[in-house]
Structures are given as structure tokens and as C-alpha cells.
Amino acid sequence: MNNGLNAQSDPTVQPVPASVVEAVDAADVTLSNPKWAVIALGANLGNRLETLQGAIDALGDTPGLRVKAVSTVYETEPWGVAPGSQPSYFNAVIAVKTTLPPSSLLERGHAIEEAFDRVREERWGPRTIDVDIVAYADVVSDDPVLTLPHPRAHQRAFVLAPWHDIDPEAQIPGHGPVATLLTEIGLTGVTPRPDLELRLPE
């Protein structure tokens, strides 16, 4: 005895139109589509190279984030302080693809700084590690918690030079090509260190 209709002949079961499937798939891609972000790293206390690599590895371990490019290391005189009053910095820039929103990426950066005992006692003070979001996709925001792009990135050769290394065609929204900005300000006080190497997370 057949107590129900075969699913094939059930008039309430209709094939899903291809256009609907495509729309759902497109929405899913949009929701999960990772964004490019650029992160600047700097350290002038402790084992600077080891700390930079540790920060890169920690970012690489972050769910929803993949480190895609790592720049050359640059040695830089400290910004905004008297010459010789602090050790020099090692700086680098990485490019990541992430599904994290900017606010969550910022929280992750702060957590990494805290893990490496970053102390925020004075502006321009020495630090074990600095993790700065320089740009996130084409987002432009004047949110004081996270201004995008970074409000001083276009003025800093220690950001522009390593960024140019990994993306010669990069642009800073509202300021223009990184290559042009770097040519305008020059490399005074910023020295490439090809003898030092940072690697992508394993």
C-alpha cells in the first residue's frame, strides 16, 4: 500500500530555477570573498627580526586570514624622536587576504602586540612590535579607532618602500600610487637589509 506520493510526482516539489541557484551562489561568494589588506610591522626592542617573524606567523595562524606576501626588511631611524635616543627599527610590510572585517583585524593586531609585550607608555616610544593596518581593500574611513587608509602611511618611507617591494602597482586611496609617493619623499633614514629575511608562514 502506498501511503504517500512519490517525491518525483509530488506537485509541491519543484526544481530550483538555475537563475536562483546562480543568485544564491553569487551571494555566498560575496559573503565569503576575502579582501586584500596591507599591514605594516615595526620593532626596535629585543630580537627585532625574530619578533617580526613571530608576528607574521601569528597573523598566519589567524582563522580567516592568509599571509600572501612578505617584503624585504628595512632598517629605519625612529620617527618623531631625537636621533640616537632609541634603537633603530626593523620594518616590513605584508599583504594578506582575509574574511575578517577591519575591526576584527585591528583586534587581532592588538592581541599580537600584547602577546609580544608591547607597552604604550609614550607616543613615538620604543616598542617590541607595532602592527598597523595600512589599507583594507579600497575602504576609506575616518573612524578615529581605525582610520583607513592609515593617515600617515603616504608620508612614511618605511611603509612605502616595503609596500612597493611586494606590490609595485599599489595605490593609497586618496593619495595616489605608492611608487610616486616614494619617489617624492625619498629613502632618507630608511635602509634595505637584504641580509635579513622574513618568510611566509609555513
Side-chain angles (χ1 to χ4, degrees):
M1 183 176 176
N2 185 1
N3 292 325
L5 292 170
N6 186 295
Q8 295 288 334
S9 61
D10 185 343
T12 66
V13 176
Q14 298 291 333
V16 178
S19 60
V20 174
V21 173
E22 290 172 8
V24 171
D25 287 347
D28 183 59
V29 168
T30 300
L31 289 172
S32 62
N33 188 28
K35 306 295 186 186
W36 281 101
V38 177
I39 299 174
L41 304 171
N44 76 332
L45 294 177
N47 187 325
R48 297 166 292 175
L49 188 67
E50 186 177 285
T51 301
L52 290 180
Q53 186 63 59
I56 292 169
D57 291 343
L59 285 164
D61 286 339
T62 304
L65 186 152
R66 292 291 178 269
V67 180
K68 305 299 287 185
V70 180
S71 76
T72 302
V73 177
Y74 285 76
E75 188 163 10
T76 308
E77 291 303 312
W79 178 275
V81 299
S85 63
Q86 290 182 24
S88 61
Y89 276 85
F90 284 174
N91 292 101
V93 164
I94 64 172
V96 306
K97 289 190 90 170
T98 184
T99 56
L100 298 176
S103 59
S104 297
L105 189 57
L106 179 66
E107 288 175 7
R108 180 59 174 156
H110 285 168
I112 291 169
E113 290 179 344
E114 290 174 11
F116 283 95
D117 300 319
R118 162 75 188 270
V119 176
R120 298 175 181 272
E121 291 182 345
E122 59 178 299
R123 191 176 189 187
W124 315 124
R127 67 280 314 262
T128 52
I129 186 68
D130 217 357
V131 180
D132 282 332
I133 302 172
V134 177
Y136 183 99
D138 294 324
V139 173
V140 176
S141 169
D142 59 2
D143 184 336
V145 176
L146 177 57
T147 304
L148 291 170
H150 190 288
R152 291 174 294 280
H154 65 286
Q155 302 169 332
R156 294 177 167 177
F158 63 81
V159 172
L160 297 174
W163 189 357
H164 184 263
D165 284 349
I166 60 174
D167 186 2
E169 305 300 318
Q171 303 239 357
I172 302 181
H175 294 285
V178 166
T180 301
L181 295 165
L182 184 58
T183 299
E184 290 173 352
I185 65 174
L187 284 172
T188 302
V190 179
T191 305
R193 291 291 304 270
D195 55 311
L196 305 176
E197 185 177 4
L198 295 168
R199 65 184 185 280
L200 289 168
E202 296 177 358

